[in-house]
Amino acid sequence: MRAAFRGALLPALSSRCHVSPCPNPLTKSLSLLRGVSDTLPYRLLCSSSASAPPPPPMADDNTSSTSPSGAPGINGSASVEKQFEGFRALLDESGTIRERIRSVVMEMESAVRVMHSGLLLVHQSLPVPEVLEKPRVQIGVLKELYRRLADILRECPGQYYRYHGDWRSETQSVVSLIAFLHYLETGTLLLHSEAEEKLGSVDASNFGLDIEDYLTGLCFMSNEMPRYVVNQVTAGDYDCPRKVLKFLTDLHASFRMLNLRNDFLRKKFDGNSL
């Protein structure tokens, strides 16, 4: 009896508990779209096809591109090509000038090294007149090099500050050395006009000694003073510290008169404190 009851009850329960599977969303969407496309009027399809804009014509390879206003495009513009041809000529000319300037600057660096090595002998307590002979010779060499720079820049008037950076650092070193040399000879400060005269950098084509280069060179020159004082005292010149102190004090007071901005010169002045 139990077997019969089980046999009658299980089929009924299985039929009630059977859950129909959920339809696939993609299948449902496809069926919906098929129904819409089947019921869409043929006239609507034809009208939508007719209202679509025609495809743009294929551009011929032999036809030059034009702008919407009818003007020729950049590829076929003679004025643009002429402009860049002019740029190329100017850049080539500028590159040639810079190469000539670098050639002179390399010789200037060599003269600066020789002059600096000669002035270093003053720290060895050697007689000053004997020490200064070799550096004086280099002043004539530097004067000739600055004359050559002026000749190069005379070919491109008004372009001094365009190329000035190519020899700026060398000029600052030169001013530092000749200012120190001038102090050893006279005990006074080398003036800007005197520096220009020594270097021959006064020219009608506005080639001269830049004021900032001159002032920066003076800051560099002050770095040699402490070492010079120590060596002079060691050699028995006990009056040297007083002279150098007065010289640097006057120079510091003169710099204080300037309205220095936050640039390289101001950083050098603050760093040296003269």
Side-chain angles (χ1 to χ4, degrees):
M1 182 174 180
R2 289 181 179 178
F5 179 77
R6 189 182 300 112
L9 183 60
L10 288 178
L13 291 175
S14 62
S15 61
R16 290 184 179 182
C17 295
H18 178 69
V19 180
S20 60
C22 296
N24 191 338
L26 180 59
T27 305
K28 185 176 181 181
S29 299
L30 289 175
S31 301
L32 180 61
L33 290 175
R34 288 194 187 98
V36 172
S37 62
D38 292 341
T39 58
L40 191 65
Y42 179 76
R43 183 180 301 175
L44 180 60
L45 291 175
C46 294
S47 62
S48 62
S49 300
S51 62
M58 298 297 292
D60 190 0
D61 294 339
N62 298 327
T63 304
S64 60
S65 60
T66 58
S67 62
S69 60
I74 189 171
N75 293 332
S77 176
S79 60
V80 172
E81 293 180 2
K82 183 178 180 180
Q83 172 184 262
F84 278 86
E85 283 292 332
F87 289 163
R88 182 181 62 82
L90 290 176
L91 292 176
D92 291 344
E93 181 182 359
S94 177
T96 302
I97 293 176
R98 289 190 185 278
E99 289 178 0
R100 295 170 60 190
I101 291 176
R102 290 192 190 100
S103 177
V104 177
V105 170
M106 290 179 63
E107 298 183 41
M108 191 179 298
E109 291 175 352
S110 177
V112 168
R113 286 194 296 268
V114 174
M115 189 175 183
H116 188 214
S117 62
L119 284 175
L120 287 178
L121 297 177
V122 76
H123 299 301
Q124 299 180 6
S125 303
L126 297 176
V128 173
E130 179 182 344
V131 171
L132 301 184
E133 289 181 3
K134 190 175 181 180
R136 284 198 194 100
V137 175
Q138 298 304 315
I139 293 180
V141 176
L142 291 169
K143 187 173 184 178
E144 173 62 20
L145 293 175
Y146 276 102
R147 185 195 63 79
R148 289 168 55 185
L149 282 178
D151 292 341
I152 295 174
L153 293 181
R154 195 176 291 112
E155 301 175 6
C156 47
Q159 301 292 322
Y160 174 83
Y161 284 103
R162 179 179 182 181
Y163 303 104
H164 171 239
D166 293 344
W167 68 85
R168 168 180 287 176
S169 60
E170 287 74 19
T171 299
Q172 294 169 357
S173 299
V174 168
V175 171
S176 172
L177 294 176
I178 63 175
F180 187 47
L181 175 63
H182 183 80
Y183 175 81
L184 295 176
E185 292 176 335
T186 64
T188 59
L189 177 68
L190 176 71
L191 301 180
H192 180 265
S193 58
E194 294 174 339
E196 284 190 321
E197 184 179 355
K198 286 180 178 293
L199 299 177
S201 54
V202 181
D203 191 86
S205 61
N206 296 326
F207 180 85
L209 176 59
D210 187 76
I211 295 178
E212 292 188 1
D213 293 343
Y214 167 75
L215 295 175
T216 304
L218 295 183
C219 291
F220 290 157
M221 180 267 297
S222 65
N223 293 333
E224 293 291 336
M225 290 302 185
R227 183 182 177 186
Y228 172 70
V229 169
V230 171
N231 292 325
Q232 288 300 110
V233 171
T234 303
D237 186 2
Y238 301 108
D239 195 37
C240 180
R242 181 185 60 81
K243 295 178 181 178
V244 172
L245 176 61
K246 183 180 185 306
F247 172 78
L248 292 180
T249 301
D250 294 342
L251 182 59
H252 183 271
S254 300
F255 264 86
R256 285 295 181 186
M257 297 172 60
L258 304 176
N259 183 21
L260 300 179
R261 293 172 173 80
N262 293 326
D263 54 4
F264 178 77
L265 178 58
R266 178 58 182 266
K267 293 177 181 178
K268 293 305 300 180
F269 173 71
D270 292 342
N272 286 34
S273 297
L274 292 178

